[in-house]
Each structure stands twice: as structure tokens, then as C-alpha cells.
Amino acid sequence: QIVVQVASKYSEQLTPEEIIKLFESYKSYEGLYFYCGAILTSSENPLVHFKYIESAAKMGQFDMVVNVCRESNFYDPEK
């Protein structure tokens, strides 16, 4: 949790793309899920929205997948 808190706090300086790469390099889908979830409401970055959907599906959080797919205007549905 501490890693997700630090990543969320410094997201603008480190960029979401780099933080997402970091979580993926360690195959930390749980960390990716919580990080993207923490910044989702304030982000218009399509990658953040897509990675949240992807990591939520891997975590079995299908209700969250459905919610974000319905409510988000920022992800690419083709992906």
C-alpha cells in the first residue's frame, strides 16, 4: 500500500506511463489496480483508464470493470 500511496502522490512528476511500466515490470497487477483506481477520477489519460480495466479484470473485480466501461469517456473501447 505504501508504494501505491507514493506513486499516487508523485504521479504527475513521475508520469502515469512510467509508474504503470514499473508495476507491470514486477507483474504487480494488484498494485496497478490500486494505483490506477486512486488516480482514475482525476485522470483523462486513456492508458490509466485502460490499465485500470485490465488490472480489475485480472483481479476478478468485474463489477468495477463494468462500472468504468459504462462511465468512462477516456478509454479506447477498441483496445
Side-chain angles (χ1 to χ4, degrees), residues 6 12-13 24-25 35 38 44 47 51 61 69 71 76:
V6 170
E12 284 187 34
Q13 293 91 335
E24 288 182 328
S25 71
Y35 165 69
E44 295 182 4
L47 181 65
K51 290 298 181 177
Q61 300 293 323
C69 287
E71 297 173 12
D76 179 9

Side-chain angles (χ1 to χ4, degrees), residues 29 32-34 36 50-60:
Y29 299 109
L32 184 59
Y33 170 74
F34 287 115
C36 289
F50 175 73
K51 290 298 181 177
Y52 182 77
I53 293 166
E54 185 179 63
S55 61
K58 288 181 181 180
M59 298 284 301

Side-chain angles (χ1 to χ4, degrees), residues 3-63:
V3 174
V4 172
Q5 290 174 348
V6 170
S8 299
K9 183 174 181 174
Y10 295 101
S11 189
E12 284 187 34
Q13 293 91 335
L14 299 172
T15 75
E17 291 81 6
E18 291 302 316
I19 294 171
I20 288 169
K21 283 182 196 175
L22 180 68
F23 280 117
E24 288 182 328
S25 71
Y26 287 97
K27 296 186 183 352
S28 178
Y29 299 109
E30 185 176 358
L32 184 59
Y33 170 74
F34 287 115
Y35 165 69
C36 289
I39 67 166
L40 192 68
T41 57
S42 62
S43 176
E44 295 182 4
N45 186 330
L47 181 65
V48 171
H49 288 250
F50 175 73
K51 290 298 181 177
Y52 182 77
I53 293 166
E54 185 179 63
S55 61
K58 288 181 181 180
M59 298 284 301
Q61 300 293 323
F62 301 112
D63 290 343

Side-chain angles (χ1 to χ4, degrees), residues 61-74:
Q61 300 293 323
F62 301 112
D63 290 343
M64 297 309 295
V65 172
V66 171
N67 286 342
V68 173
C69 287
R70 281 185 188 154
E71 297 173 12
S72 175
N73 296 321
F74 302 110

